[in-house]
Amino acid sequence: MRQPGQVIVITSGKGGVGKTTATANIGTALALLGHRVALVDADIGLRNLDVVMGLENRIVYDLVDVVEGFARVRQALIKDKRFEGLYLLPAAQTRDKSAVSPLQMKSVCDELKADFDFVIVDSPAGIEQGFRNAIAGAERAVIVTTPEVAAVRDADRIIGLLEADGMAEPQLILNRIRHQMVRRGDMMDIDDVIEILAIDLLGIVPEDEAIIVSTNRGDPAVTSSASRAGLAFKNIARRLRGEVVPFLQLDEARGLLARLSRIMKLSSG
Amino acid sequence: MPASGQASASKDVARERLKIVLVQDRAEANRGFLEKIKRELIEVVGRYADLDPGSVEVKVSRSDRESILVARFPLRSLRRTT
């Protein structure tokens, strides 16, 4: 009998802060580390995880088909042929959140965790039923925010709702940090956000054009060794499985040239 | 480091605005949560004691170290249990 895996929900409150990108990259990174991973798109009616993962052409059945008994979980899971052990359970595109109840969602998650090390649920934006569904089966929550007032405010609301729901110690990913703006005082830094939200930090992810390129291609950024955001997500994946990994030094996000010139300066001065 | 002499860095403005708005948000969320607790407590305690629902008070009392949920139920009379 294998040990049951853990169900982790990726959520944010505000839309557009990078939940789906985070889900895709963390899941892929965990698979690359040798784990069996199921990604679950809980955004019924607005599915996205399939295109971000580049698996949109392989969907036969979806989450609603499973819940309504038209397909078994195993039939609806899409196997990602590029990464051993990685699977996607897509959302339905033509239904709405009310097609699934929190109880049904929990039973799908319970079934998945018997077979996977990690079940990662991509939550829809908002605090309505879609969010309720997404957290129903999860024992762990990761909140994604960017260093902007609206995103942090919504993150605070989500943290409150998760705590009221009995979720133990949600953790934060601070996404899309622009080091240059932080340096000139035009973007809140990690300490600002952590102080305001009073929450554990799981990871920091620099703004990175490679994310847009990788999403264009349907190829998660963690597969590219050149992407700083990809590296950040790999670190997050390792922390999720219990490793202690130091946070990225954002001022090193300037690339190889800057690093080289700094080394030169150090050695000459 | 922000240039000196410049109006305060925009991130400081962001941080201050956020702190203020979150105090309001949290207070509001707390009110909703306290109202819910109060309604259910009145129902439960009301089964055993003669309460004046209007005078029941539920609040969070904070010190530096902890937050305590405090409920006051002024009684009209205690019912005899059967």
Side-chain angles (χ1 to χ4, degrees):
Chain A
M1 224 11 221
R2 68 191 298 288
Q3 204 164 326
Q6 47 177 316
V7 184
I8 303 171
V9 61
I10 312 280
T11 184
S12 72
K14 189 173 178 304
V17 297
K19 282 182 299 293
T20 303
T21 303
T23 306
N25 279 287
I26 293 169
T28 304
L30 284 167
L32 289 171
L33 288 165
H35 296 287
R36 280 178 58 77
V37 180
L39 304 176
V40 179
D41 190 347
D43 201 348
I44 297 162
L46 288 171
R47 76 175 169 215
N48 278 326
L49 189 51
D50 56 332
V51 283
V52 172
M53 290 297 299
L55 295 171
E56 68 273 20
N57 294 324
R58 308 243 338 262
I59 298 176
V60 180
Y61 296 109
D62 57 47
L63 176 60
V64 173
D65 293 323
V66 170
V67 161
E68 293 183 343
F70 295 115
R72 286 191 299 276
V73 171
R74 197 175 305 170
Q75 293 174 293
L77 281 170
I78 302 167
K79 179 177 165 56
D80 192 324
K81 293 170 184 159
R82 299 163 299 180
F83 312 108
E84 180 69 34
L86 185 60
Y87 292 77
L88 168 69
L89 180 56
Q93 179 67 339
T94 54
R95 303 289 294 273
D96 66 70
K97 324 285 183 207
S98 63
V100 177
S101 74
L103 216 62
Q104 289 167 324
M105 190 70 184
K106 186 175 183 317
S107 97
V108 170
C109 289
D110 287 347
E111 188 175 342
L112 284 171
K113 80 178 176 190
D115 200 29
F116 288 90
D117 303 318
F118 292 94
V119 179
I120 304 184
V121 183
D122 186 18
S123 159
I127 56 174
E128 316 301 333
Q129 177 162 2
F131 163 73
R132 294 282 164 200
N133 285 341
I135 67 171
E139 55 250 18
R140 193 165 171 188
V142 172
I143 294 149
V144 182
T145 191
T146 57
E148 295 157 85
V149 282
V152 175
R153 180 193 198 176
D154 289 0
D156 188 75
R157 180 96 169 93
I158 289 290
I159 294 166
L161 291 172
L162 287 171
E163 282 172 354
D165 201 65
M167 186 79 74
E169 298 181 10
Q171 290 178 295
L172 187 78
I173 292 177
L174 187 53
N175 198 17
R176 293 208 198 125
I177 305 171
R178 299 201 204 185
H179 180 64
Q180 295 286 25
M181 292 191 73
V182 171
R183 246 181 27 169
R184 63 171 192 259
D186 277 330
M187 182 174 267
M188 285 185 286
D189 62 24
I190 301 152
D191 294 341
D192 295 327
V193 177
I194 291 300
E195 184 208 334
I196 287 169
L197 292 179
I199 183 179
D200 231 31
L201 185 64
L202 178 66
I204 51 178
V205 183
E207 172 88 27
D208 185 352
E209 289 184 0
I211 291 290
I212 296 173
V213 175
S214 78
T215 308
N216 286 344
R217 297 187 196 281
D219 207 4
V222 286
T223 57
S224 149
S225 56
S227 164
R228 295 285 297 174
L231 176 59
F233 282 121
K234 272 185 254 184
N235 288 348
I236 288 168
R238 289 171 57 197
R239 289 183 201 114
L240 278 176
R241 64 177 200 157
E243 284 182 57
V244 176
V245 185
F247 291 110
L248 277 188
Q249 291 300 312
L250 290 176
D251 51 356
E252 280 174 22
R254 310 256 41 85
L256 191 61
L257 256 179
R259 234 177 301 169
L260 272 177
S261 76
R262 214 174 20 248
I263 292 167
M264 306 280 278
K265 236 183 276 172
L266 273 180
S267 56
S268 67
Chain B
M1 192 165 295
S4 57
Q6 199 182 317
S8 104
S10 72
K11 79 125 178 184
D12 294 333
V13 181
R15 197 179 49 204
E16 290 319 305
R17 290 176 58 222
L18 249 176
K19 280 184 177 167
I20 292 165
V21 83
L22 288 187
V23 167
Q24 293 163 351
D25 285 357
R26 287 172 186 173
E28 212 167 294
N30 260 338
R31 267 198 296 281
F33 147 85
L34 290 176
E35 269 310 305
K36 259 171 97 172
I37 295 183
K38 187 166 148 181
R39 269 200 302 277
E40 292 190 27
L41 282 176
I42 288 174
E43 193 194 315
V44 174
V45 179
R47 274 185 232 144
Y48 303 95
D50 188 9
L51 289 176
D52 169 17
S55 64
V56 173
E57 197 185 338
V58 178
K59 62 178 183 184
V60 175
S61 137
R62 284 199 182 82
S63 71
D64 289 348
R65 298 194 53 82
E66 55 188 1
S67 298
I68 303 170
L69 183 68
V70 181
R72 282 184 78 243
F73 302 94
L75 298 176
R76 287 199 282 238
S77 67
L78 265 178
R79 282 197 189 120
R80 283 188 195 89
T81 48
T82 49

